[in-house]
Amino acid sequence: LLLVLVSCSSKKDVLLIQDTDITKNYSISYEEIKIKPDDILRVKISTKSPELAELFSFYQSQNISNTLESYQIDGYVVNSEGFVKIPSLGPIMVSGLTLSDASTLIQKYLIENEDLKNASVDVKILNSYFTILGEVKMPGRYNFLQNNMDIFQALGIAGDLTINGKRDDIKILRKINNNLSISSLDITSSNIFNSGNIQIFPGDIIIVNPNNARVKNAGIIGNSGNLLSVLSFILSSIILITSSN
């Protein structure tokens, strides 16, 4: 019983947003994701004339299945210099632009070239992903399309944390201009909504370390189940020997 109690997690280690008795509204803003080299873009050009739109949207005329993988294959790759090559428009510098800015720029090119004056343009990044490791049910790499991905959604995609996950110190590794930044998130407190660091960006690595109970279980007594089995066997052997005598 002592071994089990030592290895158990307390309520404080498990509950999320523990100060829920505080009624408060939070204003959360999300930064727009910016395009960078090696991004794969879906450029969707809509117009009253589908035949004209197909000239500029390769995937619309070639794709049979509407899967993310097929869109990635037929998407437009941003080269190392930050340009994307769109049929009939040539190379366009999009690196560093937000998706809405890139849409506006491509629409401007269409108007200037007198190709499509009343077309609407929608740009999405098809290869945005995050990687999550550690004490979650399904660690791995996951693609996402939305701009406002947050830590709770990312954890949900990975199947939620295990009972052994450390909830007050989740590490976020992020590459910014060839520099690696490491931040910590505490999802047991509502203060996370004021941290300005709740958003997940493409390429982020999320690390959920084991909590103290898991560390004790692994580092001091090993697997508690196996240990209890061994102790039970020893106790049974002692009882049998004693009773036979």
Side-chain angles (χ1 to χ4, degrees):
L1 287 175
L2 180 61
L3 291 173
V4 172
L5 289 173
V6 169
S7 61
C8 284
S9 298
S10 68
K11 182 189 292 187
K12 186 178 179 181
D13 295 329
V14 176
L15 296 181
L16 305 182
I17 315 298
Q18 297 175 16
D19 49 356
T20 51
D21 56 321
I22 302 175
T23 303
K24 186 177 180 180
N25 294 323
Y26 296 90
S27 177
I28 302 175
S29 60
Y30 295 91
E31 293 182 33
E32 284 200 69
I33 295 174
K34 293 184 179 181
I35 300 170
K36 61 184 183 303
D38 295 328
D39 279 347
I40 301 175
L41 304 182
R42 186 205 71 172
V43 180
K44 183 177 181 181
I45 299 175
S46 302
T47 181
K48 293 181 180 180
S49 176
E51 295 79 11
L52 288 176
E54 286 182 0
L55 296 175
F56 303 93
S57 303
F58 177 75
Y59 80 90
Q60 286 181 315
S61 59
Q62 299 294 324
N63 247 340
I64 298 175
S65 60
N66 294 324
T67 63
L68 180 59
E69 291 76 13
S70 62
Y71 282 141
Q72 288 178 344
I73 292 173
D74 292 341
Y76 299 107
V77 180
V78 181
N79 65 24
S80 58
E81 296 178 348
F83 288 90
V84 62
K85 294 182 179 179
I86 299 178
S88 302
L89 291 182
I92 300 175
M93 170 60 74
V94 294
S95 182
L97 298 180
T98 64
L99 298 180
S100 58
D101 288 341
S103 299
T104 301
L105 180 62
I106 294 172
Q107 189 174 35
K108 179 181 177 182
Y109 270 80
L110 290 171
I111 294 173
E112 289 179 349
N113 291 352
E114 297 184 354
D115 294 310
L116 294 172
K117 293 185 178 181
N118 298 315
S120 62
V121 180
D122 180 61
V123 179
K124 282 190 178 357
I125 301 175
L126 298 177
N127 60 333
S128 294
Y129 69 91
F130 65 87
T131 303
I132 186 164
L133 306 171
E135 292 291 342
V136 291
K137 293 179 181 178
M138 298 182 295
R141 170 173 162 164
Y142 295 93
N143 288 86
F144 67 97
L145 293 175
Q146 62 267 43
N147 185 78
N148 57 345
M149 171 69 68
D150 61 46
I151 183 62
F152 294 102
Q153 291 172 309
L155 292 172
I157 291 173
D160 200 3
L161 295 92
T162 67
I163 194 68
N164 298 312
K166 192 172 186 180
R167 287 151 170 78
D168 60 354
D169 187 21
I170 296 177
K171 303 294 185 184
I172 306 292
L173 279 64
R174 182 172 299 154
K175 199 172 184 180
I176 304 175
N177 297 328
N178 295 323
N179 294 317
L180 182 66
S181 71
I182 302 177
S183 58
S184 176
L185 293 180
D186 179 2
I187 60 174
T188 67
S189 171
S190 61
N191 289 330
I192 187 175
F193 300 117
N194 295 323
S195 67
N197 199 28
I198 194 174
Q199 185 175 359
I200 299 300
F201 289 88
D204 278 1
I205 300 174
I206 305 167
I207 299 177
V208 182
N209 286 317
N211 57 23
N212 292 332
R214 181 73 177 103
V215 172
K216 289 177 181 178
N217 190 13
I220 299 177
I221 62 174
N223 187 294
S224 58
N226 292 338
L227 182 58
L228 290 174
S229 298
V230 172
L231 292 176
S232 177
F233 173 76
I234 294 173
L235 182 59
S236 300
S237 300
I238 293 173
I239 293 173
L240 288 173
I241 295 172
T242 302
S243 60
S244 64
N245 291 335

